[in-house]
Amino acid sequence: MQQQHRQPELVEGSLPVFVFPTELVFYADEQSSHKQVLTLYNPYEFALKFKVLCTAPNKYTVVDATGAVKPQCCVDIVIRHRDVRACHYGVYDKFRLQVSEQSQRKALGRKEVTATLRPSASQEPPSPRPQDEERRIKEQFADSEFFEQTAFQTESRPVAGGPSLLTVLLGLVCMAALMLPTLGEQESTVPVYLHLSVNKKLVAAYVLGLLTMVILRT
């Protein structure tokens, strides 16, 4: 009788999570630095789903805050700082990446990444000792909570409201002009002063064509 090989059940929070980089630094005077990329690696033989949490979700936009990573693949998670103000200089925030198996809800592993905003790369503060810096960050996040990132929404474009009333009225006038008799026609019940020359009708037809193009684009 063949014995089935089963993958050992993983304990919640015990799965190592591989993320690079482990620290995000944004610079207020460098627009290009306001967009950072986190790369999540999956070296395992099974697919993972992930979720990005943050201690200050209102300050950041995370593209694809939830998703999946195929076995032995990686995904890029784009993070944008959207609240670049002097009051946030030097403040540490944290992102937490939670991963789990596709068929499970419990988090098998998590990794935390710090994020901070600085005024300028040319004005880097003197580096404190690693022990002091680590202790300061731990004290800051001792009672911190992580919140889910809201779903990223692309910039919405205003919905076209259709052609304006003036455009419609001008189009009706041009159509009426084309329906009037041409100057010189004898058999017509329309008064002579309403007869239009060929040139005027050509102008009306040209304007009507332009209005039609404008309406189709709206």
Side-chain angles (χ1 to χ4, degrees):
M1 183 177 180
Q2 293 183 347
Q3 185 179 2
Q4 293 182 344
H5 295 281
R6 298 181 60 186
Q7 178 181 322
E9 186 174 351
L10 294 169
V11 180
E12 184 173 359
S14 65
L15 187 71
V17 178
F18 300 92
V19 180
F20 182 84
T22 57
E23 180 183 11
L24 301 177
V25 180
F26 302 88
Y27 297 103
D29 64 343
E30 291 186 17
Q31 185 72 30
S32 60
S33 74
H34 298 175
K35 173 184 173 182
Q36 303 275 350
V37 177
L38 281 178
T39 302
L40 173 62
Y41 299 89
N42 178 12
Y44 305 106
E45 300 293 333
F46 51 90
L48 293 174
K49 60 181 180 180
F50 67 88
K51 177 188 293 186
V52 180
L53 308 175
C54 184
T55 55
N58 293 331
K59 291 165 61 176
Y60 303 92
T61 295
V62 179
V63 181
D64 296 330
T66 59
V69 196
K70 296 179 180 180
Q72 299 180 348
C73 292
C74 64
V75 294
D76 289 335
I77 304 169
V78 178
I79 298 177
R80 293 187 177 91
H81 202 303
R82 61 181 185 181
D83 194 3
V84 180
R85 292 184 292 165
C87 60
H88 297 314
Y89 290 170
V91 177
Y92 281 92
D93 301 314
K94 267 194 177 183
F95 290 94
R96 173 179 290 173
L97 281 81
Q98 292 185 173
V99 300
S100 58
E101 283 192 87
Q102 291 278 19
S103 58
Q104 297 183 6
R105 298 186 61 182
K106 66 179 181 180
L108 297 179
R110 60 177 60 92
K111 183 74 173 181
E112 294 179 356
V113 177
T114 60
T116 184
L117 175 66
R118 296 176 183 171
S120 174
S122 61
Q123 300 176 3
E124 282 287 334
S127 300
R129 290 183 301 176
Q131 298 88 346
D132 296 341
E133 183 72 2
E134 184 177 355
R135 183 172 63 252
R136 188 171 76 87
I137 294 175
K138 284 183 178 180
E139 289 175 354
Q140 180 177 336
F141 292 106
D143 300 320
S144 61
E145 294 184 48
F146 286 85
F147 302 93
E148 290 192 18
Q149 286 287 153
T150 55
F152 172 74
Q153 297 180 349
T154 55
E155 296 182 359
S156 57
R157 296 182 180 178
V159 179
S164 65
L165 180 61
L166 179 62
T167 303
V168 174
L169 291 177
L170 190 56
L172 292 176
V173 171
C174 292
M175 292 177 64
L178 293 174
M179 295 175 64
L180 290 174
T182 306
L183 189 64
E185 289 185 13
Q186 300 297 329
E187 298 178 358
S188 176
T189 57
V190 179
V192 178
Y193 63 84
L194 290 178
H195 290 206
L196 300 180
S197 65
V198 175
N199 289 337
K200 289 182 179 179
K201 285 198 170 186
L202 288 176
V203 171
Y206 177 74
V207 173
L208 183 61
L210 292 179
L211 293 175
T212 302
M213 293 177 62
V214 171
I215 293 173
L216 291 176
R217 288 180 179 179
T218 58

